């Protein structure tokens, strides 16, 4: 018997729940779009700043100026989108995996009579707190910002886990649709 928490309706190999895969993918897509827009806007301004002293004077010159600018903007946008999407996707996958690992540990330590307890909010809070602490160490944030960072990590983790608990509770209370 496997000790992983599975969703039989997910249909994913290895008994993975569908949200363990979909949440990081959605976060990566959001990060890609955000990074694409931010990096392309920055690249357009940088190109203008670098070439302001030698703006073209002919129609053909303006054509090649815009063409070169557009290629640089597209290249920088895609590169920035991949970096931002990868970074946000990795942090999100880490949070989801850490939350799932803590939840599995909590479920194993609880007696069988407590199987109906909603504990995802607690595992989400611990995962958020751990991730906020790790991010603070990696990015070398000031120690004065540590309490706020940890509060935000824990509270957003509690909200994320609480939304899972609320969803699971609503599944038990709402009527089942007939197929």
């Amino acid at each position: 018997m496997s000790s992983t928490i599975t969703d039989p309706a997910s249909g994913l190999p290895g008994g993975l729940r569908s949200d363990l895969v979909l949440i990081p993918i959605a976060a990566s897509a959001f990060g890609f779009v955000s990074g694409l827009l931010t990096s392309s806007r920055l690249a357009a301004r940088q190109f203008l700043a670098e070439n302001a002293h030698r703006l073209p004077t002919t129609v053909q010159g303006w054509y090649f100026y815009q063409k070169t600018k557009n290629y640089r903007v597209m290249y920088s946008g895609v590169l920035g989108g991949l970096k931002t999407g990868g970074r946000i996707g990795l942090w999100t996958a880490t949070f989801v995996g850490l939350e799932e690992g803590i939840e599995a540990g909590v479920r194993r330590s609880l007696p069988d009579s407590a199987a109906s307890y909603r504990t995802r909010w607690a595992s989400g809070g611990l995962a958020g707190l751990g991730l906020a602490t790790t991010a603070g160490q990696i990015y070398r944030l000031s120690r004065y910002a540590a309490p706020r960072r940890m509060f935000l990590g824990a509270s957003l983790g509690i909200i994320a886990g609480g939304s899972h608990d609320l969803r699971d509770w609503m599944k038990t209370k709402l009527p089942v649709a007939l197929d």
Side-chain angles (χ1 to χ4, degrees), residues 31-50:
F32 177 78
V33 171
S34 175
L36 177 85
L37 294 174
T38 305
S39 296
S40 61
R41 197 175 310 131
L42 178 66
R45 290 180 183 152
Q46 182 179 352
F47 187 82
L48 176 64
E50 289 174 353

Side-chain angles (χ1 to χ4, degrees), residues 32-174:
F32 177 78
V33 171
S34 175
L36 177 85
L37 294 174
T38 305
S39 296
S40 61
R41 197 175 310 131
L42 178 66
R45 290 180 183 152
Q46 182 179 352
F47 187 82
L48 176 64
E50 289 174 353
N51 295 297
H53 68 284
R54 55 183 170 140
L55 292 174
T57 55
T58 64
V59 173
Q60 185 180 13
W62 277 108
Y63 171 77
F64 285 114
Y65 174 86
Q66 289 295 333
K67 181 180 172 184
T68 305
K69 177 184 160 193
N70 287 340
Y71 281 131
R72 291 231 182 125
V73 166
M74 284 191 297
Y75 177 74
S76 296
V78 169
L79 195 64
L82 290 173
K83 284 181 183 177
T84 305
R87 187 171 34 245
I88 290 177
L90 182 64
W91 281 109
T92 306
T94 303
F95 171 78
V96 171
L98 191 59
E99 180 190 29
E100 186 65 28
I102 292 171
E103 180 69 15
V106 167
R107 288 286 170 200
R108 259 188 256 122
S109 66
L110 286 176
D112 290 337
S113 61
S116 65
Y117 291 167
R118 307 271 182 231
T119 58
R120 178 82 55 183
W121 64 271
S123 59
L126 287 173
L129 182 65
L131 204 61
T133 304
T134 303
Q137 295 296 320
I138 290 173
Y139 292 119
R140 298 179 190 262
L141 301 177
S142 72
R143 65 184 176 112
Y144 300 108
R148 180 174 181 211
R149 180 180 59 241
M150 289 182 186
F151 173 75
L152 284 173
S155 61
L156 292 176
I158 289 171
I159 290 171
S163 66
H164 277 279
D165 285 341
L166 180 65
R167 182 196 63 188
D168 294 343
W169 178 78
M170 287 176 66
K171 281 183 181 178
T172 63
K173 298 298 180 190
L174 294 176

